[in-house]
Amino acid sequence: MTRVYNFSAGPAVLPEPVLERARDEMLEWNGTGMSVMEMTHRGKAFVSIAERAEQDLRDLMQVPDHYRVLFLQGGASAQFAAIPMNLLGERRRVDYVNTGAWSKKAIAEARKYAEVNVVASSEADHFTTIPPFETWQRDPQAAYLHYTPNETIGGLEFPWIPESSGMPLVADMSSTILSRPVDVSRFGLIYAGAQKNIGPAGLTVVIVRDDLIGHAMPQVPSVLDYRVQAEAGSMSNTPPTYAWYLAGLVFQWLKAQGGLEAMEQINRRKAQKLYNAIDNSAFYSNPVEPVSRSLMNVPFTLADPELDGIFLKEAEQAGLTNLKGHRSVGGMRASLYNAMPETGVDALVEFMADFEQRKA
Ligand SMILES: *Cc1c(COP(=O)(O)O)cnc(C)c1O
């Protein structure tokens, strides 16, 4: 068996010890005589798995007691709709920051339910900058302020948390959650599709403050109603049980690594190695302003785009896969989620130097 270094943006690499543990427990979990996949979600065994996963996530992120943690389906994209449907309440308008492709998708979906005020946009800069906070045109009547802390496609990450001055702050953390510590109390709601930095696809984590629950519009589908799901322990219908279990294994692995402070150090080191390699070369480049470069998703281009195909082919032969950039951006993108070992980044940097020497 040969495992590659998988730089996919998502679904993405998982920690090898997690996959080994899942393999060992595949046919029967903890004396139950069955796989986790075969268990009823209402039984003692699965409920113990679910509760442990939630507790471990709460420990890792230091989630305060007055927040619910929901384990839902539908991906971050379902939350693009669920958020306005649940949080609009009596208001009509919502504030969104536009820093890239995922911001735009969130905005387009919210427009179906609310009047969207785009408080700031870096589209004119091709999403290579974060609009300075002083320039944001906030609407004091907005129900909430939404932003995307890490743009997975553009590789643009906020180095700061916006000061929402009492308005609920909503964050799509799909590609940055668990990569570093974050002060949850600054947010009204945090959501993330699992398939980047949490676990397999099919699970969506929502962390929502108690006072924001219970104001959904009457038309909201019950499975997307935070009150219904909070009261049912995320089991108003069948939850994604196996993905929830695997996410729980990832949380245990993160704790064993030393938690999010330790992950941040490792992630900074990994990203710095790759950005240094890019910046110290005239052959590779990254367009994002240095203070806002993503720790998780590193897009880069070659001086000669004609070489893209051969770069990808040779990288693949060297066991470095899924480096093709998003079709909207072109070039390359290396995603460096928690589960990407530092040796993978070293191998990529070494390959890039060798390729440059041969082709530049
Ligand atoms: C991947 C991604 C999404 C979409 O997630 P789905 O689970 O496919 O709906 C949304 N936002 C961000 C920031 C992402 O990286």
Side-chain angles (χ1 to χ4, degrees):
M1 183 190 69
T2 0
R3 283 185 50 87
V4 295
Y5 289 121
N6 176 8
F7 293 93
S8 169
V13 56
L14 285 164
E16 215 162 277
V18 164
L19 295 175
E20 283 165 350
R21 170 107 180 255
R23 177 195 61 200
D24 293 345
E25 296 176 342
M26 177 64 71
L27 293 187
E28 77 104 10
W29 185 84
N30 202 24
T32 56
M34 64 180 78
S35 168
V36 175
M37 273 182 263
E38 302 168 300
M39 287 176 185
T40 167
H41 56 295
R42 311 261 180 222
K44 233 169 55 186
F46 186 75
V47 168
S48 76
I49 290 170
E51 286 175 351
R52 166 101 196 255
E54 174 174 343
Q55 190 56 52
D56 284 339
L57 179 59
R58 284 182 172 277
D59 295 347
L60 282 165
M61 293 186 70
Q62 295 178 26
V63 177
D65 288 343
H66 62 294
Y67 286 74
R68 296 300 105 219
V69 179
L70 307 179
F71 291 81
L72 306 178
Q73 304 198 42
S77 300
Q79 294 306 311
F80 291 166
I83 286 160
M85 285 195 282
N86 278 273
L87 303 191
L88 198 55
E90 301 297 307
R91 297 178 189 261
R92 296 181 47 197
R93 299 199 294 274
V94 292
D95 274 357
Y96 277 69
V97 186
N98 181 16
T99 51
W102 289 114
S103 297
K104 287 175 84 163
K105 290 230 169 167
I107 289 167
E109 195 69 10
R111 285 211 165 107
K112 297 179 181 174
Y113 307 97
E115 272 176 48
V116 176
N117 171 44
V118 177
V119 304
S121 170
S122 53
E123 189 154 22
D125 297 335
H126 305 286
F127 299 125
T128 56
T129 59
I130 305 282
F133 185 67
E134 316 79 72
T135 66
W136 293 15
Q137 305 281 322
R138 303 265 310 275
D139 178 346
Q141 293 307 316
Y144 58 84
L145 170 62
H146 178 284
Y147 81 119
T148 310
N150 184 63
E151 286 283 355
T152 319
I153 293 172
L156 181 72
E157 184 160 10
F158 276 73
W160 39 273
I161 298 174
E163 177 46 69
S164 65
S165 312
M167 190 182 285
L169 181 64
V170 177
D172 175 1
M173 291 202 187
S174 293
S175 51
T176 183
I177 193 167
L178 300 173
S179 67
R180 53 167 100 182
V182 53
D183 180 358
V184 174
S185 72
R186 299 278 304 272
F187 297 86
L189 187 149
I190 290 168
Y191 64 106
Q195 68 274 22
K196 278 79 186 237
N197 221 8
I198 296 177
L203 170 70
T204 315
V205 169
V206 175
I207 302 171
V208 55
R209 210 171 61 212
D210 282 339
D211 62 288
L212 299 177
I213 297 175
H215 312 290
M217 51 180 66
Q219 310 90 310
V220 69
S222 300
V223 294
L224 294 180
D225 185 330
Y226 298 146
R227 185 183 56 79
V228 171
Q229 289 289 20
E231 285 175 356
S234 305
M235 296 191 193
S236 88
N237 70 324
T238 314
T241 51
Y242 198 72
W244 192 334
Y245 153 77
L246 261 177
L249 296 185
V250 172
F251 301 151
Q252 290 178 38
W253 176 79
L254 286 170
K255 278 186 152 180
Q257 303 308 297
L260 302 192
E261 282 86 6
M263 292 320 299
E264 175 170 20
Q265 283 192 11
I266 298 167
N267 287 327
R268 285 198 184 282
R269 206 163 58 225
K270 278 158 43 184
Q272 204 53 55
K273 280 183 174 176
L274 183 50
Y275 285 118
N276 282 347
I278 294 167
D279 290 343
N280 295 334
S281 129
F283 185 70
Y284 301 105
S285 65
N286 167 287
V288 177
E289 60 176 354
V291 293
S292 310
R293 284 171 163 182
S294 171
L295 296 188
M296 294 287 101
N297 311 98
V298 183
F300 60 93
T301 52
L302 314 190
D304 178 4
E306 298 266 294
L307 293 172
D308 285 3
I310 183 85
F311 180 95
L312 289 166
K313 188 160 161 252
E314 289 189 12
E316 178 109 28
Q317 285 162 355
L320 309 166
T321 69
N322 288 315
L323 283 163
K324 193 170 167 46
H326 191 269
R327 59 190 180 280
S328 65
V329 180
M332 312 298 152
R333 172 176 50 171
S335 293
L336 311 180
Y337 299 120
N338 285 335
M340 171 56 65
E342 195 163 345
T343 50
V345 180
D346 293 339
L348 174 60
V349 166
E350 199 177 314
F351 170 80
M352 287 166 67
D354 178 64
F355 187 86
E356 176 177 1
Q357 207 181 18
R358 286 184 290 113
K359 308 282 182 187

